[in-house]
């Protein structure tokens, strides 16, 4: 059973430490996106990477529309992997939607997690009156999903540069576009709907595990107000604003991302 899960999620284990860093990729991506960050921790930690079912080199036959109709289904992937590898005291590092997926996993089984690191997180992508700024109106997301239905390649070419927000690094835009395009369109469409209409604001007070919020200074997907909202509503959280712009600092500014994570873990070890 454990081997089935490791194969299903294309789990890769590296590093020489005893404590585990578990890296979780964002929507439309896979574990390859962590290649600029994860190796920096392999000397001191056991590094675990994986692909959610429906992404990367996971077993697409395992995709179940009902299970993955909410972020809880993806949280089950994380807990399955923790159980298969008998992981405890995990430092979870999640990008974008994986931040809330990791939060849900840590609420369900807090004993497995030591720290959570949220990279470009958002508990709600839609603006909600009164006073919550998520970055998108409902019509924006509905039009985005309609574009996915009509012209998936065109959608990928439109969204990737907006997500990356690094016009000076066209190679990153191209890589993200190719990552979107390599994902099964039907599964990607479903994951996008689940992601952009998710609302985890009521889950935030349930988290007991300490967390680091890495918020980019100019992020069109998760504006700065989102990071500040999370910090106000997550007990035992630390907020760091990056110099990096865009939604993918682990790709566009890996050195800064590594430094922020290492500084946080070093301070945590002293407390």
């Amino acid at each position: 059973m454990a081997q089935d899960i490791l194969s299903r999620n294309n789990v890769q284990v590296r590093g020489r430490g005893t404590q585990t860093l578990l890296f979780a990729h964002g929507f439309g991506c896979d574990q390859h996106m962590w290649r600029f960050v994860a190796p920096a921790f392999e000397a001191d930690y056991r590094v675990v990477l994986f692909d959610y079912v429906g992404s990367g080199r996971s077993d697409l036959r395992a995709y179940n529309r009902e299970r993955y109709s909410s972020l809880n289904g993806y949280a089950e992937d994380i807990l399955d992997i923790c159980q298969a590898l008998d992981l405890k005291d995990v430092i979870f590092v999640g990008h974008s939607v994986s931040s809330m997926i990791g939060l849900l996993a840590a609420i369900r089984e807090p004993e497995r997690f030591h720290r959570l690191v949220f990279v470009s997180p958002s508990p709600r992508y839609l603006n909600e009156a009164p006073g919550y700024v998520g970055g998108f109106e409902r019509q924006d997301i509905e039009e985005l999903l309609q574009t996915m239905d009509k012209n998936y390649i065109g959608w990928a070419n439109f969204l990737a540069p907006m997500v990356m927000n690094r016009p000076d690094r066209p190679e990153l835009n191209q890589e993200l576009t190719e990552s979107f395009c390599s994902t099964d369109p039907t599964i990607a469409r479903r994951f996008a709907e689940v992601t952009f209409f998710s609302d985890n604001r009521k889950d935030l007070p349930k988290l007991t595990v300490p967390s680091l919020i890495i918020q980019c200074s100019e992020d069109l997907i998760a504006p700065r107000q989102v990071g500040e909202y999370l910090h106000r509503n997550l007990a035992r959280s630390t907020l760091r604003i990056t110099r990096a712009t865009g939604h993918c600092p682990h790709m566009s500014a890996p050195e800064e991302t590594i430094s922020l994570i290492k500084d946080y873990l070093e301070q945590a070890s002293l407390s």
Side-chain angles (χ1 to χ4, degrees):
M1 181 64 180
Q3 187 57 45
D4 290 346
I5 290 170
L6 300 183
S7 177
R8 181 192 72 185
N9 286 95
N10 187 29
V11 176
Q12 306 293 321
V13 182
R14 304 168 185 164
R16 296 184 291 277
T18 55
Q19 189 169 30
T20 298
L21 255 79
L22 175 60
F23 287 91
H25 63 81
F27 163 77
C29 301
D30 61 26
Q31 61 183 272
H32 188 60
M33 298 300 187
W34 288 111
R35 68 188 184 281
F36 301 128
V37 171
F41 295 90
E42 291 180 3
D44 299 312
Y45 296 92
R46 179 165 67 156
V47 170
V48 177
L49 299 123
F50 71 98
D51 299 328
Y52 288 112
V53 170
S55 302
R57 296 184 177 179
S58 67
D59 185 353
L60 296 185
R61 295 171 301 177
Y63 184 80
N64 180 299
R65 183 178 175 84
E66 182 177 353
R67 170 173 167 136
Y68 298 105
S69 63
S70 77
L71 297 186
N72 282 301
Y74 293 93
E76 287 183 25
D77 275 20
I78 291 173
L79 294 176
D80 285 348
I81 293 167
C82 287
Q83 184 175 28
L85 293 175
D86 193 24
L87 299 182
K88 297 174 183 173
D89 209 26
V90 171
I91 299 165
F92 174 88
V93 184
H95 172 236
S96 191
V97 66
S98 270
S99 300
M100 292 302 103
I101 294 171
L103 177 138
L104 293 171
I107 289 172
R108 287 173 56 178
E109 297 188 22
E111 68 278 5
R112 291 198 181 276
F113 298 91
H114 175 65
R115 289 286 189 281
L116 303 180
V117 177
F118 301 142
V119 180
S120 308
S122 176
R124 179 63 164 165
Y125 293 91
L126 301 185
N127 301 325
E128 295 282 0
Y132 178 78
V133 178
F136 295 90
E137 298 296 337
R138 177 170 288 274
Q139 184 177 351
D140 299 332
I141 301 302
E142 289 174 345
E143 290 177 355
L144 199 65
L145 294 174
Q146 290 171 5
T147 303
M148 289 184 79
D149 293 334
K150 295 175 181 176
N151 181 0
Y152 188 79
I153 302 298
W155 163 84
N157 280 290
F158 167 76
L159 186 64
M162 186 171 76
V163 171
M164 194 60 70
N165 196 18
R166 285 296 301 266
D168 58 321
R169 300 285 303 277
E171 74 280 8
L172 294 179
N173 296 338
Q174 183 62 31
E175 179 175 348
L176 190 58
T177 301
E178 291 173 358
S179 179
F180 287 162
C181 292
S182 67
T183 306
D184 181 283
T186 302
I187 295 175
R189 167 65 166 77
R190 184 62 173 156
F191 196 5
E193 186 174 358
V194 168
T195 296
F196 286 113
F197 287 133
S198 63
D199 187 352
N200 296 103
R201 289 175 294 170
K202 291 183 179 179
D203 295 313
L204 303 181
K206 302 174 187 174
L207 182 68
T208 58
V209 180
S211 61
L212 168 65
I213 302 160
I214 297 179
Q215 171 70 47
C216 287
S217 52
E218 295 179 26
D219 183 350
L220 297 177
I221 305 299
R224 181 167 178 155
Q225 296 96 319
V226 171
E228 294 168 346
Y229 178 91
L230 279 165
H231 184 43
R232 287 196 303 273
N233 289 277
L234 281 174
R236 308 174 71 189
S237 67
T238 300
L239 174 63
R240 292 289 180 266
I241 309 294
T242 71
R243 296 186 302 275
T245 59
H247 191 61
C248 303
H250 58 316
M251 296 177 66
S252 63
E255 296 84 3
E256 184 179 15
T257 304
I258 292 166
S259 177
L260 289 170
I261 296 173
K262 286 192 171 183
D263 286 350
Y264 174 71
L265 297 180
E266 183 177 345
Q267 290 299 316
S269 70
L270 298 175
S271 60

